[in-house]
Amino acid sequence: MEINPTEIIGYLASLFVLLSFLFKDIRTLRIVNSVGCAFFVVYGVLLSSIPVIVTNVAILLINGYYLFVKKPIN
């Protein structure tokens, strides 16, 4: 059984997105989710899948906005 590098990236992407939902802290959730989305963007590029790329770039931008622009007020 040959290991396909593209599939490994897809599995890593899925793993990070799944793991992100285990965190209660929203900042940690967004960071881990962003890692998963970045892997999904790479996966989409390797597959030439525009929907996968566009969706995950959009999620990355939303996560980035909440992580770096709209910081919570304490």
Coordinates of all heavy atoms in Angstrom, one line a residue:
M1 N 0.8 -1.2 0.0 CA 0.0 0.0 0.0 C 0.9 1.2 0.0 O 1.7 1.5 0.9 CB -0.9 0.0 1.2 CG -1.9 1.1 1.3 SD -3.1 0.8 2.6 CE -3.2 2.4 3.3
E2 N 0.7 2.1 -1.0 CA 1.6 3.3 -1.2 C 0.9 4.4 -0.5 O -0.3 4.6 -0.6 CB 1.7 3.6 -2.6 CG 2.7 4.7 -2.9 CD 2.9 4.9 -4.4 OE1 2.9 3.9 -5.1 OE2 3.1 6.1 -4.7
I3 N 1.7 5.2 0.2 CA 1.1 6.4 0.9 C 1.2 7.6 0.0 O 2.2 8.0 -0.5 CB 1.9 6.7 2.2 CG1 1.8 5.5 3.2 CG2 1.4 8.0 2.8 CD1 2.6 5.7 4.4
N4 N 0.0 8.2 -0.3 CA -0.1 9.3 -1.2 C 0.1 10.6 -0.4 O -0.7 10.9 0.5 CB -1.5 9.2 -1.9 CG -1.7 10.3 -2.8 OD1 -1.0 11.4 -2.8 ND2 -2.7 10.1 -3.7
P5 N 1.1 11.4 -0.7 CA 1.3 12.7 0.1 C 0.1 13.6 0.1 O -0.2 14.3 1.1 CB 2.5 13.3 -0.6 CG 3.2 12.2 -1.4 CD 2.1 11.2 -1.7
T6 N -0.7 13.6 -1.0 CA -1.8 14.5 -1.1 C -2.9 14.0 -0.1 O -3.5 14.8 0.6 CB -2.4 14.5 -2.5 OG1 -1.5 14.9 -3.4 CG2 -3.7 15.4 -2.6
E7 N -3.1 12.7 0.1 CA -4.0 12.2 1.0 C -3.6 12.5 2.5 O -4.4 12.8 3.3 CB -4.2 10.7 0.8 CG -5.1 10.4 -0.4 CD -5.3 8.9 -0.5 OE1 -5.1 8.1 0.4 OE2 -5.8 8.5 -1.6
I8 N -2.3 12.4 2.7 CA -1.8 12.7 4.0 C -2.1 14.1 4.4 O -2.5 14.4 5.5 CB -0.2 12.4 4.1 CG1 0.0 11.0 4.0 CG2 0.3 13.0 5.4 CD1 1.5 10.6 3.9
I9 N -1.9 15.1 3.5 CA -2.3 16.5 3.8 C -3.8 16.6 4.0 O -4.2 17.3 4.9 CB -1.8 17.4 2.6 CG1 -0.3 17.4 2.6 CG2 -2.4 18.8 2.8 CD1 0.3 18.1 1.4
G10 N -4.6 15.9 3.3 CA -6.0 15.9 3.5 C -6.4 15.4 4.9 O -7.3 15.9 5.6
Y11 N -5.8 14.3 5.3 CA -6.0 13.7 6.6 C -5.6 14.6 7.7 O -6.2 14.8 8.7 CB -5.4 12.3 6.8 CG -6.1 11.2 6.0 CD1 -5.4 10.4 5.1 CD2 -7.4 11.0 6.2 CE1 -6.0 9.4 4.4 CE2 -8.1 10.0 5.4 CZ -7.4 9.2 4.5 OH -8.0 8.2 3.8
L12 N -4.4 15.3 7.5 CA -3.9 16.2 8.5 C -4.9 17.4 8.6 O -5.2 17.9 9.8 CB -2.5 16.7 8.1 CG -1.4 15.9 8.5 CD1 -0.1 16.4 7.9 CD2 -1.2 15.7 10.0
A13 N -5.4 17.9 7.5 CA -6.3 19.0 7.5 C -7.6 18.6 8.3 O -8.1 19.3 9.2 CB -6.7 19.4 6.1
S14 N -8.1 17.4 8.0 CA -9.3 16.9 8.7 C -9.1 16.8 10.2 O -9.9 17.1 11.0 CB -9.8 15.6 8.1 OG -10.1 15.8 6.8
L15 N -7.9 16.3 10.5 CA -7.5 16.0 11.9 C -7.5 17.4 12.7 O -8.1 17.5 13.8 CB -6.2 15.3 12.1 CG -5.6 15.2 13.5 CD1 -6.5 14.2 14.3 CD2 -4.2 14.6 13.4
F16 N -6.8 18.4 12.1 CA -6.8 19.7 12.8 C -8.1 20.4 13.0 O -8.4 20.9 14.0 CB -5.8 20.6 12.1 CG -4.3 20.4 12.6 CD1 -3.5 19.5 11.9 CD2 -3.8 21.0 13.7 CE1 -2.2 19.3 12.3 CE2 -2.5 20.8 14.1 CZ -1.7 19.9 13.4
V17 N -8.9 20.3 11.9 CA -10.3 20.9 12.0 C -11.1 20.1 13.1 O -11.8 20.8 13.9 CB -11.0 20.9 10.7 CG1 -12.4 21.3 10.8 CG2 -10.3 21.8 9.7
L18 N -11.0 18.8 13.1 CA -11.7 18.0 14.1 C -11.2 18.4 15.5 O -12.0 18.6 16.4 CB -11.5 16.5 13.8 CG -12.2 15.6 14.8 CD1 -13.7 15.7 14.8 CD2 -11.7 14.2 14.5
L19 N -9.9 18.4 15.7 CA -9.3 18.7 17.0 C -9.7 20.1 17.5 O -9.9 20.3 18.7 CB -7.8 18.6 17.0 CG -7.2 17.2 16.9 CD1 -5.7 17.3 16.7 CD2 -7.5 16.4 18.1
S20 N -9.9 21.0 16.6 CA -10.2 22.4 17.0 C -11.5 22.5 17.8 O -11.7 23.4 18.6 CB -10.3 23.3 15.7 OG -11.4 23.1 15.0
F21 N -12.4 21.6 17.5 CA -13.7 21.6 18.2 C -13.6 21.0 19.6 O -14.6 21.0 20.3 CB -14.8 20.9 17.4 CG -15.1 21.7 16.1 CD1 -14.6 21.3 14.9 CD2 -15.9 22.8 16.2 CE1 -14.9 22.0 13.8 CE2 -16.2 23.6 15.1 CZ -15.7 23.2 13.9
L22 N -12.5 20.5 20.0 CA -12.3 20.0 21.4 C -11.9 21.1 22.4 O -11.9 20.8 23.6 CB -11.3 18.9 21.4 CG -11.6 17.6 20.5 CD1 -10.4 16.7 20.5 CD2 -12.9 17.0 21.1
F23 N -11.6 22.3 21.9 CA -11.1 23.3 22.8 C -12.2 24.2 23.2 O -13.1 24.6 22.4 CB -10.0 24.2 22.0 CG -8.8 23.4 21.7 CD1 -8.6 22.8 20.5 CD2 -7.8 23.2 22.7 CE1 -7.4 22.1 20.2 CE2 -6.7 22.5 22.4 CZ -6.5 21.9 21.2
K24 N -12.2 24.6 24.5 CA -13.2 25.5 25.0 C -12.8 26.9 24.8 O -13.6 27.8 24.6 CB -13.4 25.3 26.5 CG -14.1 24.0 26.8 CD -14.3 23.8 28.3 CE -15.1 22.5 28.6 NZ -15.3 22.3 30.0
D25 N -11.5 27.2 24.8 CA -11.0 28.6 24.6 C -11.1 28.9 23.1 O -10.5 28.2 22.2 CB -9.5 28.6 25.0 CG -8.9 30.0 24.8 OD1 -9.5 31.0 25.3 OD2 -7.9 30.1 24.0
I26 N -11.9 30.0 22.8 CA -12.1 30.3 21.4 C -10.9 30.7 20.6 O -10.8 30.4 19.4 CB -13.2 31.4 21.3 CG1 -13.7 31.5 19.9 CG2 -12.7 32.7 21.8 CD1 -14.6 30.4 19.4
R27 N -9.9 31.3 21.3 CA -8.7 31.7 20.6 C -7.9 30.4 20.2 O -7.5 30.3 19.0 CB -7.8 32.6 21.5 CG -6.5 33.0 20.9 CD -5.9 34.1 21.7 NE -4.5 34.4 21.3 CZ -4.3 35.1 20.2 NH1 -5.2 35.6 19.4 NH2 -3.0 35.3 19.8
T28 N -7.8 29.5 21.1 CA -7.1 28.2 20.7 C -7.9 27.5 19.6 O -7.2 27.0 18.7 CB -7.0 27.3 22.0 OG1 -6.3 28.0 23.0 CG2 -6.2 26.1 21.7
L29 N -9.2 27.5 19.7 CA -10.0 26.8 18.7 C -9.7 27.4 17.3 O -9.5 26.7 16.4 CB -11.5 27.0 19.1 CG -12.5 26.3 18.1 CD1 -13.7 25.9 18.9 CD2 -12.9 27.2 16.9
R30 N -9.7 28.8 17.3 CA -9.4 29.5 16.0 C -8.0 29.2 15.5 O -7.9 29.1 14.3 CB -9.7 31.0 16.1 CG -11.2 31.3 16.3 CD -11.4 32.8 16.1 NE -12.8 33.1 16.4 CZ -13.7 33.0 15.5 NH1 -13.5 32.6 14.3 NH2 -15.0 33.4 15.8
I31 N -7.1 29.1 16.3 CA -5.7 28.9 15.9 C -5.6 27.5 15.3 O -5.0 27.3 14.2 CB -4.7 29.1 17.0 CG1 -4.6 30.6 17.4 CG2 -3.3 28.5 16.7 CD1 -3.9 30.9 18.7
V32 N -6.1 26.5 16.0 CA -6.0 25.1 15.5 C -6.8 24.9 14.3 O -6.4 24.2 13.3 CB -6.4 24.1 16.7 CG1 -6.4 22.7 16.1 CG2 -5.5 24.2 17.9
N33 N -8.0 25.5 14.2 CA -8.8 25.5 13.1 C -8.1 26.1 11.9 O -8.2 25.6 10.7 CB -10.2 26.2 13.3 CG -11.2 26.0 12.2 OD1 -11.2 26.8 11.3 ND2 -11.9 24.9 12.3
S34 N -7.4 27.2 12.1 CA -6.7 27.9 11.0 C -5.6 27.0 10.4 O -5.4 27.0 9.2 CB -6.1 29.2 11.5 OG -7.1 30.1 11.8
V35 N -4.9 26.2 11.3 CA -3.9 25.3 10.8 C -4.6 24.2 9.9 O -4.1 23.9 8.8 CB -3.2 24.6 12.0 CG1 -2.3 23.4 11.5 CG2 -2.4 25.6 12.8
G36 N -5.7 23.7 10.3 CA -6.5 22.8 9.5 C -6.9 23.4 8.2 O -6.8 22.7 7.1
C37 N -7.4 24.6 8.2 CA -7.8 25.3 7.0 C -6.6 25.5 6.0 O -6.8 25.4 4.8 CB -8.5 26.6 7.3 SG -10.1 26.4 8.0
A38 N -5.5 25.9 6.6 CA -4.3 26.0 5.8 C -3.9 24.7 5.1 O -3.6 24.7 3.9 CB -3.1 26.5 6.6
F39 N -4.0 23.6 5.8 CA -3.7 22.3 5.2 C -4.8 22.0 4.1 O -4.4 21.5 3.1 CB -3.8 21.2 6.2 CG -2.5 21.0 6.9 CD1 -2.4 21.1 8.3 CD2 -1.3 20.6 6.2 CE1 -1.2 20.9 9.0 CE2 -0.1 20.3 6.9 CZ 0.0 20.5 8.3
F40 N -6.0 22.4 4.4 CA -7.1 22.2 3.4 C -6.8 23.1 2.1 O -7.1 22.6 1.0 CB -8.5 22.5 3.9 CG -9.2 21.3 4.4 CD1 -9.7 21.2 5.7 CD2 -9.3 20.2 3.6 CE1 -10.3 20.1 6.1 CE2 -10.0 19.0 4.0 CZ -10.5 19.0 5.3
V41 N -6.3 24.3 2.3 CA -5.9 25.1 1.1 C -4.9 24.4 0.3 O -5.0 24.3 -1.0 CB -5.5 26.5 1.5 CG1 -4.9 27.3 0.3 CG2 -6.6 27.3 2.2
V42 N -3.8 23.9 0.9 CA -2.8 23.1 0.2 C -3.4 21.9 -0.5 O -3.1 21.6 -1.6 CB -1.6 22.7 1.2 CG1 -0.6 21.8 0.5 CG2 -1.0 23.9 1.8
Y43 N -4.2 21.2 0.3 CA -4.9 20.0 -0.3 C -5.7 20.4 -1.5 O -5.7 19.7 -2.6 CB -5.8 19.4 0.8 CG -6.5 18.2 0.4 CD1 -5.8 17.0 0.2 CD2 -7.9 18.1 0.4 CE1 -6.5 15.8 -0.1 CE2 -8.6 17.0 0.1 CZ -7.9 15.8 -0.2 OH -8.6 14.7 -0.5
G44 N -6.5 21.5 -1.4 CA -7.2 21.9 -2.6 C -6.4 22.3 -3.8 O -6.7 22.0 -4.9
V45 N -5.2 23.0 -3.5 CA -4.3 23.3 -4.6 C -3.8 22.0 -5.3 O -3.8 21.9 -6.5 CB -3.2 24.2 -4.1 CG1 -2.1 24.3 -5.1 CG2 -3.7 25.5 -3.7
L46 N -3.4 21.0 -4.5 CA -2.9 19.8 -5.0 C -4.0 19.1 -5.8 O -3.6 18.4 -6.8 CB -2.4 18.9 -3.9 CG -1.1 19.4 -3.2 CD1 -0.8 18.5 -2.0 CD2 0.1 19.4 -4.1
L47 N -5.2 19.2 -5.4 CA -6.3 18.6 -6.2 C -6.9 19.5 -7.3 O -7.8 19.0 -8.0 CB -7.4 18.2 -5.2 CG -7.2 17.1 -4.2 CD1 -8.4 16.8 -3.3 CD2 -6.7 15.8 -4.9
S48 N -6.4 20.7 -7.3 CA -7.0 21.7 -8.2 C -8.5 21.9 -8.0 O -9.3 21.9 -8.9 CB -6.8 21.3 -9.7 OG -5.4 21.3 -10.0
S49 N -8.9 21.9 -6.7 CA -10.3 22.0 -6.3 C -10.6 23.5 -5.8 O -10.3 23.8 -4.7 CB -10.6 21.0 -5.2 OG -11.9 21.2 -4.8
I50 N -11.2 24.3 -6.7 CA -11.5 25.6 -6.4 C -12.4 25.8 -5.2 O -12.2 26.6 -4.3 CB -12.1 26.4 -7.6 CG1 -11.0 26.4 -8.8 CG2 -12.5 27.8 -7.3 CD1 -9.7 27.0 -8.5
P51 N -13.5 24.9 -5.1 CA -14.4 25.1 -3.9 C -13.7 24.8 -2.6 O -13.9 25.5 -1.6 CB -15.5 24.0 -4.1 CG -15.4 23.8 -5.6 CD -14.0 24.0 -6.0
V52 N -12.8 23.9 -2.5 CA -12.0 23.6 -1.3 C -11.1 24.8 -1.0 O -11.0 25.2 0.2 CB -11.2 22.3 -1.4 CG1 -10.3 22.1 -0.2 CG2 -12.1 21.1 -1.6
I53 N -10.4 25.3 -2.0 CA -9.5 26.4 -1.8 C -10.3 27.7 -1.3 O -10.0 28.3 -0.3 CB -8.8 26.8 -3.1 CG1 -7.9 25.6 -3.5 CG2 -7.9 28.1 -2.9 CD1 -7.3 25.7 -4.9
V54 N -11.4 28.0 -2.0 CA -12.1 29.3 -1.7 C -12.7 29.2 -0.3 O -12.6 30.2 0.5 CB -13.2 29.5 -2.8 CG1 -14.1 30.6 -2.4 CG2 -12.5 29.9 -4.1
T55 N -13.4 28.1 0.0 CA -14.0 28.0 1.3 C -13.0 28.1 2.4 O -13.2 28.8 3.4 CB -14.7 26.6 1.4 OG1 -15.7 26.5 0.4 CG2 -15.4 26.4 2.8
N56 N -11.9 27.4 2.3 CA -10.9 27.4 3.4 C -10.1 28.7 3.5 O -9.7 29.1 4.6 CB -10.0 26.2 3.3 CG -10.8 25.0 3.8 OD1 -11.0 24.8 5.0 ND2 -11.2 24.2 2.9
V57 N -9.9 29.4 2.4 CA -9.3 30.7 2.5 C -10.3 31.7 3.2 O -9.8 32.5 4.0 CB -8.9 31.3 1.0 CG1 -8.6 32.7 1.1 CG2 -7.7 30.5 0.5
A58 N -11.5 31.6 2.9 CA -12.5 32.4 3.5 C -12.6 32.2 5.0 O -12.6 33.1 5.8 CB -13.9 32.2 2.9
I59 N -12.5 30.9 5.5 CA -12.5 30.6 6.9 C -11.2 31.1 7.5 O -11.2 31.6 8.6 CB -12.7 29.1 7.1 CG1 -14.0 28.6 6.6 CG2 -12.5 28.7 8.6 CD1 -14.2 27.1 6.6
L60 N -10.1 31.0 6.8 CA -8.8 31.5 7.3 C -8.9 33.0 7.5 O -8.4 33.6 8.6 CB -7.7 31.2 6.4 CG -6.9 29.9 6.5 CD1 -6.0 29.7 5.4 CD2 -6.2 29.9 7.8
L61 N -9.5 33.7 6.6 CA -9.7 35.2 6.7 C -10.6 35.6 7.9 O -10.3 36.5 8.7 CB -10.2 35.8 5.4 CG -9.3 35.8 4.2 CD1 -10.0 36.2 3.0 CD2 -8.1 36.6 4.5
I62 N -11.6 34.8 8.1 CA -12.5 35.1 9.2 C -11.8 34.8 10.6 O -11.9 35.6 11.5 CB -13.8 34.2 9.1 CG1 -14.7 34.7 7.9 CG2 -14.6 34.2 10.4 CD1 -15.8 33.7 7.6
N63 N -11.1 33.7 10.6 CA -10.3 33.4 11.8 C -9.3 34.5 12.1 O -9.1 34.9 13.2 CB -9.7 32.0 11.7 CG -10.6 30.9 12.1 OD1 -11.6 31.0 12.7 ND2 -10.3 29.7 11.5
G64 N -8.6 34.9 11.0 CA -7.6 35.9 11.2 C -8.2 37.2 11.6 O -7.6 37.9 12.5
Y65 N -9.4 37.6 11.2 CA -10.0 38.8 11.6 C -10.3 38.7 13.1 O -10.0 39.7 13.8 CB -11.3 39.0 10.8 CG -12.2 40.1 11.3 CD1 -11.9 41.4 11.0 CD2 -13.3 39.9 12.2 CE1 -12.6 42.5 11.5 CE2 -14.0 40.9 12.6 CZ -13.7 42.2 12.3 OH -14.5 43.3 12.8
Y66 N -10.8 37.6 13.6 CA -11.2 37.5 15.0 C -9.9 37.4 15.9 O -9.9 37.8 17.0 CB -12.2 36.4 15.2 CG -13.6 36.8 14.9 CD1 -14.2 36.4 13.7 CD2 -14.3 37.7 15.7 CE1 -15.5 36.8 13.4 CE2 -15.6 38.1 15.3 CZ -16.1 37.6 14.2 OH -17.4 38.0 13.9
L67 N -8.9 36.8 15.3 CA -7.6 36.6 16.1 C -6.8 37.9 16.2 O -6.2 38.2 17.2 CB -6.8 35.5 15.5 CG -7.3 34.1 15.8 CD1 -6.5 33.1 14.9 CD2 -7.1 33.8 17.3
F68 N -6.8 38.7 15.1 CA -5.8 39.8 15.0 C -6.5 41.2 14.9 O -5.8 42.2 15.4 CB -4.9 39.6 13.8 CG -4.1 38.4 13.9 CD1 -4.4 37.3 13.1 CD2 -3.1 38.2 14.9 CE1 -3.6 36.1 13.1 CE2 -2.4 37.0 15.0 CZ -2.6 36.0 14.1
V69 N -7.7 41.3 14.4 CA -8.3 42.6 14.3 C -9.3 42.9 15.4 O -9.2 43.9 16.1 CB -9.0 42.7 12.9 CG1 -9.7 44.1 12.8 CG2 -8.0 42.5 11.8
K70 N -10.2 42.0 15.6 CA -11.2 42.1 16.6 C -10.9 41.4 17.8 O -11.4 40.3 18.1 CB -12.6 41.7 16.0 CG -13.7 42.0 17.0 CD -15.0 41.9 16.2 CE -16.2 42.0 17.1 NZ -16.4 43.3 17.7
K71 N -10.0 41.9 18.6 CA -9.5 41.3 19.8 C -10.6 41.5 20.9 O -11.2 42.6 21.0 CB -8.2 41.9 20.3 CG -7.1 41.6 19.3 CD -5.8 42.1 19.7 CE -4.7 41.8 18.7 NZ -3.4 42.2 19.1
P72 N -10.8 40.5 21.8 CA -11.8 40.6 22.8 C -11.4 41.7 23.8 O -10.2 41.9 24.1 CB -11.8 39.3 23.5 CG -10.6 38.6 23.1 CD -10.1 39.2 21.8
I73 N -12.4 42.4 24.3 CA -12.2 43.4 25.4 C -12.3 42.7 26.7 O -13.3 42.1 27.0 CB -13.3 44.5 25.2 CG1 -13.2 45.2 23.9 CG2 -13.1 45.5 26.4 CD1 -14.3 46.1 23.6
N74 N -11.3 43.0 27.5 CA -11.3 42.3 28.9 C -11.7 43.3 29.9 O -11.4 44.4 30.1 CB -9.9 41.8 29.2 CG -9.6 40.6 28.3 OD1 -10.5 39.8 27.9 ND2 -8.3 40.4 28.1

